[in-house]
Amino acid sequence: MYGKLGIGHTRWATHGPPNDVNAHPHVSSDGSFALVHNGIIENYSALKESLTAKGYVFESQTDTEVLVRLVEDVRKSTGLSLGKAIRQALSQVHGTYGIAAVSGEDPDMLIAARKGSPLILGIGEGEYFLGSDAAPIVEYTRKVVYLNDGEMVIVRRSGFTVYTVENQMLDKTIHELEWDLEQIEKGGFEHFMLKEIMEQPSSIENAMRGRLLPRSPYVMLGGLLDVMDSLSRSSRIIICACGTSWHAALAGEYIIESLARIPVEVEYASEFRYRDPILNEGDAVIVISQSGETADTLAAIHEAQRQGIPVYGICNTVGSTIARDTDAGVYLHAGPEIGVASTKAFTAQVTVLSMLAIKLAQTKGTLKGPELAKMVKEIRAIPAKIQRVLNGAEKIEALSSVYRYASNFLYLGRGPNFPVALEGALKLKEISYIHAEGYPAAEMKHGPIALIDRFMPVVFIAMHDATFEKVVSNIEEVVARDGIVIAVTDAPKGRLDELCDHVIRIPTTHTLLSPLLTVIPLQLLSYYIAVLRGCHVDQPRNLAKSVTVE
């Protein structure tokens, strides 16, 4: 089948199961137009009840079909054009949307609008593309227009026009994407996830490039240059994030508090927005998101700004909504991450947070002289040390075959490696569908120890630091209960080899930077187990790369 205009949407099943009836696009009763929708119409139930009373029939369980019938009703009662009817219908909608619509009555027109869900217009040679992300567009063009909330675009062969939902015409800037097509291809790897794991030495170097000054113990974060003094004087820093980014934020809490001596609180963005948070003068909010489009994180920005608090962003996607809505920030420059389970974005986020901590400490004077120079030297050495871990991937692949049939895993760590335990458990859950939990190692005896038997693999992050002896004691408790122990450590050969079933050795680094190394074997372990179990590694069930709905 050939055509010159079309729409489609890979649907997240928010209303009704993913089946043919609920699939997008949804078509009007008379077949005159079709529409796809990303987001959640929160008042869909009330709208559906009203439209049903008017005689409209619904075939699906989706909120999107309700939006289609609402547009139909507006057209029927007003005689408006499709574009004006969509605009009026959207004024009755509560919730989030990124929509695209086409009409059989005007086959040269594509209409799109957004509120809370990302939408990008790609501008090619005699062609246009709409997407929620740059990845599917960069193959065809690097020129894009980012639509903001409350904006609508009407695209024709002759060009495009952007309006506000109040029908005010806008003059939009055309941006140039930084990504190359090569970056979004597998490059000979079986899966994007493996490619992205293996890219981490270079992605971390990219995150540090231009920020760790040559032959200098100082850090330069250009995106925060104008606000660094005020940020360093903050009485409290609140970091909001979701999922893997939340784990990176937890690691950042340890690093910032230890080096810069500024109190840090880490919040789930989804909770922060709803619990009426108490923010005070002198606070600062930092939000973290790989995509820069996470719905709950965007809502956290708006809540903080509503209370007059400065908000700074850490994200990977240039031009994303978070990059545009925050007061200042830092890009990860990790390159596109296609695999749903985040890997290189996590290590890039921890790298940026580490550099931020060093810069804050440098500005405040809590880290100076030899200590400052040592910290910068250690972070410079991280990419080469990660490469050494990756060079041992075959050993971790062999280890994975032993645990492919496990039903449960427990991950334990202390200090800055407690967040890594959480992240390791999340990775295994996401892509292999094995139940896993992460805990602080010292909390094991407060519940998880009841689960331990010879069928329960326990992964310990046992770095040879101030907590090492305590963690060894925890390992001995597991061994005494016939538990299976896998240890990730930089300790020399000795006690761990006698106690543990498997020991994965990594290079030594500063304790605060160790999450950048300890997470790598856990990423590989989850990847190889998932492959052996026949799972869809890059597209695990029920998950999306960017969570752009609540």
Side-chain angles (χ1 to χ4, degrees):
M1 182 180 292
Y2 296 92
K4 297 181 179 179
L5 185 150
I7 55 174
H9 175 45
T10 304
R11 177 176 173 265
W12 178 286
T14 49
H15 295 89
N19 55 31
D20 288 347
V21 173
N22 291 325
H24 294 198
H26 286 289
V27 181
S28 61
S29 301
D30 61 3
S32 64
F33 71 92
L35 183 146
V36 295
H37 161 235
N38 177 39
I40 297 177
I41 307 301
E42 294 176 357
N43 62 331
Y44 86 100
S45 183
L47 291 171
K48 186 174 184 178
E49 185 177 338
S50 173
L51 291 165
T52 301
K54 293 181 179 182
Y56 289 94
V57 177
F58 294 85
E59 298 177 355
S60 77
Q61 297 166 277
T62 70
D63 54 341
T64 304
E65 188 184 12
V66 174
L67 180 57
V68 171
R69 299 288 175 262
L70 180 60
V71 174
E72 282 187 69
D73 189 57
V74 171
R75 294 190 78 190
K76 180 180 177 181
S77 60
T78 64
L80 291 172
S81 66
L82 180 60
K84 291 180 180 178
I86 289 175
R87 186 180 296 117
Q88 189 174 122
L90 291 177
S91 70
Q92 302 177 49
V93 164
H94 301 155
T96 59
Y97 55 80
I99 66 165
V102 294
S103 171
E105 299 169 351
D106 192 347
D108 187 42
M109 177 182 67
L110 175 64
I111 300 170
R114 71 156 285 183
K115 178 186 175 184
S117 294
L119 206 56
I120 299 173
L121 175 68
I123 304 168
E125 295 293 331
E127 56 186 358
Y128 296 91
F129 307 89
L130 276 170
S132 59
D133 189 86
I137 292 175
V138 71
E139 180 178 353
Y140 306 101
T141 181
R142 289 192 181 184
K143 294 180 179 179
V144 298
V145 169
Y146 296 100
L147 295 181
N148 294 319
D149 277 356
E151 293 181 355
M152 171 184 285
V153 61
I154 296 179
V155 184
R156 295 186 179 276
R157 191 182 308 277
S158 57
F160 68 93
T161 309
V162 180
Y163 301 88
T164 66
V165 289
E166 290 81 22
N167 203 28
Q168 177 186 355
M169 189 179 297
L170 300 173
D171 185 17
K172 299 289 289 186
T173 301
I174 297 175
H175 298 267
E176 191 89 7
L177 292 175
E178 293 184 350
W179 295 353
D180 294 319
L181 178 59
E182 182 181 349
Q183 291 180 293
I184 63 168
E185 294 179 334
K186 291 181 182 176
F189 289 93
E190 184 178 357
H191 297 98
F192 281 112
M193 184 179 178
L194 182 59
K195 174 177 180 277
E196 288 154 9
I197 290 172
M198 295 298 179
E199 284 177 344
Q200 286 175 107
S202 59
S203 61
I204 288 176
E205 284 182 343
N206 289 337
M208 295 190 297
R209 184 169 289 114
R211 293 163 175 173
L212 296 182
L213 305 181
R215 297 175 296 280
S216 168
Y218 296 106
V219 173
M220 173 65 71
L221 296 174
L224 296 175
L225 185 62
D226 294 337
V227 301
M228 186 54 66
D229 283 341
S230 61
L231 183 56
S232 68
R233 292 194 299 270
S234 299
S235 55
R236 180 178 61 153
I237 293 174
I238 300 100
I239 308 179
C240 295
C242 301
T244 286
S245 297
W246 188 79
H247 297 157
L250 283 180
E253 177 183 11
Y254 283 93
I255 301 166
I256 293 170
E257 288 193 341
S258 179
L259 297 183
R261 309 309 298 165
I262 300 173
V264 176
E265 295 180 13
V266 177
E267 297 264 7
Y268 282 112
S270 55
E271 292 297 314
F272 181 82
R273 66 180 296 192
Y274 284 118
R275 66 173 186 80
D276 194 18
I278 300 172
L279 301 175
N280 301 307
E281 185 178 353
D283 288 345
V285 170
I286 296 174
V287 296
I288 307 177
S289 166
Q290 188 282 136
S291 67
E293 301 291 352
T294 308
D296 288 318
T297 308
L298 288 169
I301 294 173
H302 301 150
E303 173 58 29
Q305 291 175 335
R306 185 186 68 82
Q307 296 194 39
I309 302 300
V311 185
Y312 310 113
I314 296 175
C315 68
N316 194 36
T317 307
V318 176
S320 62
T321 305
I322 284 178
R324 301 196 305 273
D325 285 3
T326 48
D327 300 300
V330 182
Y331 284 119
L332 301 179
H333 296 308
E337 188 176 65
I338 307 301
V340 166
S342 183
T343 52
K344 67 177 181 176
F346 173 81
T347 50
Q349 288 166 349
V350 175
T351 299
V352 166
L353 287 165
S354 300
M355 291 189 293
L356 174 60
I358 294 169
K359 181 63 179 177
L360 287 168
Q362 172 188 314
T363 304
K364 289 188 67 179
T366 56
L367 189 66
K368 50 191 174 183
E371 289 183 344
L372 175 61
K374 181 182 178 181
M375 201 70 192
V376 171
K377 182 180 178 181
E378 288 289 345
I379 198 170
R380 286 185 195 276
I382 288 294
K385 292 180 178 181
I386 288 179
Q387 188 59 58
R388 286 168 59 188
V389 180
L390 293 172
N391 290 344
E394 288 184 1
K395 293 180 181 178
I396 298 173
E397 183 177 11
L399 169 64
S400 301
S401 64
V402 180
Y403 299 107
R404 62 186 293 189
Y405 297 115
S407 299
N408 300 279
F409 264 76
L410 185 62
Y411 289 73
L412 300 170
R414 296 197 70 155
N417 282 299
F418 160 52
V420 176
L422 295 175
E423 176 62 11
L426 177 62
K427 284 292 147 297
L428 192 69
K429 281 185 282 195
E430 284 181 314
I431 62 170
S432 74
Y433 317 139
I434 294 174
H435 173 256
E437 295 295 336
Y439 264 85
E443 290 295 303
M444 179 185 69
K445 58 176 65 73
H446 294 281
I449 198 168
L451 300 173
I452 292 170
D453 58 23
R454 61 191 179 90
F455 301 109
M456 167 75 86
V458 183
V459 179
F460 277 92
I461 304 163
M463 297 302 286
H464 202 233
D465 55 21
T467 65
F468 181 70
E469 294 300 329
K470 300 290 186 183
V471 174
V472 171
S473 295
N474 294 141
I475 292 173
E476 289 172 334
E477 290 174 325
V478 171
V479 172
R481 289 158 178 80
D482 292 327
I484 302 166
V485 179
I486 304 167
V488 176
T489 186
D490 63 342
K493 288 191 175 182
R495 291 174 66 192
L496 288 182
D497 300 86
E498 297 170 3
L499 287 169
C500 303
D501 296 87
H502 306 279
V503 177
I504 302 170
R505 282 195 162 77
I506 62 173
T508 297
T509 188
H510 192 287
T511 298
L512 294 173
L513 300 178
S514 60
L516 292 166
L517 300 181
T518 56
V519 76
I520 306 299
L522 307 188
Q523 293 173 348
L524 289 167
L525 185 68
S526 64
Y527 170 76
Y528 288 122
I529 288 176
V531 170
L532 288 169
R533 289 168 64 92
C535 301
H536 295 288
V537 171
D538 286 333
Q539 295 176 309
R541 67 191 183 203
N542 303 331
L543 296 178
K545 182 60 188 170
S546 301
V547 182
T548 57
V549 298
E550 286 191 61

